[in-house]
Amino acid sequence: METVGALSEEEVIALIAGKLLSKTGIGEHLSHPDDARDVIPRAPKILFSMDAYTVNSLKLPWRGYSDVGWSALTGAISDIVAKGGVPHACMVALGIPPELDLKLLDEFISGMKEASEYYKVRVLGGDTNRSAEMWVAISVLGFTTARTPPSRRGLKPGDAIVVTGIYGPMGYVVKHGFEKALNEKWVVDFTKRPRAYLEVGYIIENYYKAVTASMDVSDGLGYTLQTMAILSSCGIAVRDPPQTPQQLVDLCRGGSDCLLEYALLGGEEYGVVFGVKPEWLRTVLRDLEHFNVPFTVIGEAVEAGEPGLYVNGRRFRAARYDQFREWA
Amino acid sequence: METVGALSEEEVIALIAGKLLSKTGIGEHLSHPDDARDVIPRAPKILFSMDAYTVNSLKLPWRGYSDVGWSALTGAISDIVAKGGVPHACMVALGIPPELDLKLLDEFISGMKEASEYYKVRVLGGDTNRSAEMWVAISVLGFTTARTPPSRRGLKPGDAIVVTGIYGPMGYVVKHGFEKALNEKWVVDFTKRPRAYLEVGYIIENYYKAVTASMDVSDGLGYTLQTMAILSSCGIAVRDPPQTPQQLVDLCRGGSDCLLEYALLGGEEYGVVFGVKPEWLRTVLRDLEHFNVPFTVIGEAVEAGEPGLYVNGRRFRAARYDQFREWA
């Protein structure tokens, strides 16, 4: 086994840069090893975000390092999509332990490269640091034509709540643990490499006046819905489960409560939850269908004495994984 | 002592966000806790960069956590300045060990806040992660009117080599070690909080057609000059030392070789090295004087059989701190 520590810093950077970095585009001038890149604005507004992960926290037992690299990039661009933007480029900073197997670093970079090609997001540069444990920080530059990209708050009673993406497999992992999940091929398949739908970003920027609030699902659907409801000072009444794999429908024998239990748990599905003014709902749904994005109208925003998430008329309290206190 | 681990993730984020984050500006809509921020382009071109540090690597014995926060932000914006841009905003990702003293986190954030106010760079958001050791990644969004911001390569024989900033104190640290440096007040004072000069960015964007190459000094002046020379396939002949503190002039009894020895070592001075076409030199220097930026024309780019840095006609081989193999 050859470790990262066997290489010099410049060799490590050359390895990463050679594999990952995007060349200069038309009208651009700077490229590796320059410390900044020049980019021409593609829309009247810039969207700017940053996401970071300790690699271990993304490392499900069935995820290889390439899957982790893929997942990290997917999570980072998902923030731009949820705000109605097109992710254009990113910068990647890595913390690398010298004892890391070079092969694993190479796999990580490969997975990130695959994601950058799949989403057509350019990797423009970054930084590497020696570190006790592996971490990655990804900053994304996106563009939007939306004058007021939807925030997390802004739902009004009566708004339809649209949820894109497929839910349940990660809820299965949270509920039953890694060992049981490992035996369920559908759970492994659905969670190995989460997928964000860029088309949702186009739709939100197009109908930004009809989209009253939006947020991507990184910490679980229940937590996302609850956060949006509380920030919007209203309730979200859930009537229908979102899309789930057929295997979960079978497991639940189609029972809506069972499906919701799995779907509201979980995390890292990177779908988007957004509110739509009722008079625009048909138009927005037609576009989601047009782009083949999986979605469900799971309920609506309602008046509520106590803002939050309501399932079958009862307040549902969603937990979120807490970085500093574990599940909270 | 209260540790970070005593707080929930949301409390940690609230503490950082409350202290550090910039409010929405005119024409902006998104703010904390949204996962992305919307920014209106301020110039025809965006400059985009990312810098990351293991906090320990910035932690000189005489630097408190607030100095480290200051230094990290200074280093990050320095990349934009060197490319002829105005740093506008940044995103900050932090890796935090749960056992970190909350007071130290607070100091770190305060130092970063002071730097963001000093440089008028807005902090728009970021991310926090539980980590085995503390690290910080800073992504900067800047703007430039320069159609072709100078890269590291592009020097032509005859170009004047301008060095901004003050050198020597960090060279003293490298040469004599922490213990001796601690007794030299001037060394401590100059290295506690490095300072970047935003005005150099204005000058480079203004005269981008006259500036043939540029690079900021983060890994030592000698290494910076050597890198630019090699990438430009020419030599850089150094004739004069850059600006140094009076104390170093006294120590060296004004000897040019002694001053250069200290000045070429070191790192984190965050000045800028740039080449200027000879016919533009007077104009550019007049502007540096106008803005009160410390600078020296230390020599010129020359033809060289072996590209690199030349001091007194002899090839000078600069070392750089290697993250993975230490000094290399």
Side-chain angles (χ1 to χ4, degrees), chain A residues 157-191:
Chain A
D159 290 346
I161 305 296
V162 179
V163 172
T164 69
I166 291 163
Y167 298 83
M170 203 62 141
Y172 188 97
V173 178
V174 173
K175 196 170 153 68
H176 300 295
F178 290 146
E179 236 172 295
K180 238 186 131 197
L182 256 171
N183 297 321
E184 298 290 341
K185 188 173 175 305
W186 63 279
V187 173
V188 169
D189 288 346
F190 270 98
T191 55

Side-chain angles (χ1 to χ4, degrees), chain B residues 10 72 126 129 133 158 245 328:
Chain B
E10 300 200 347
N129 275 266
E133 65 184 340

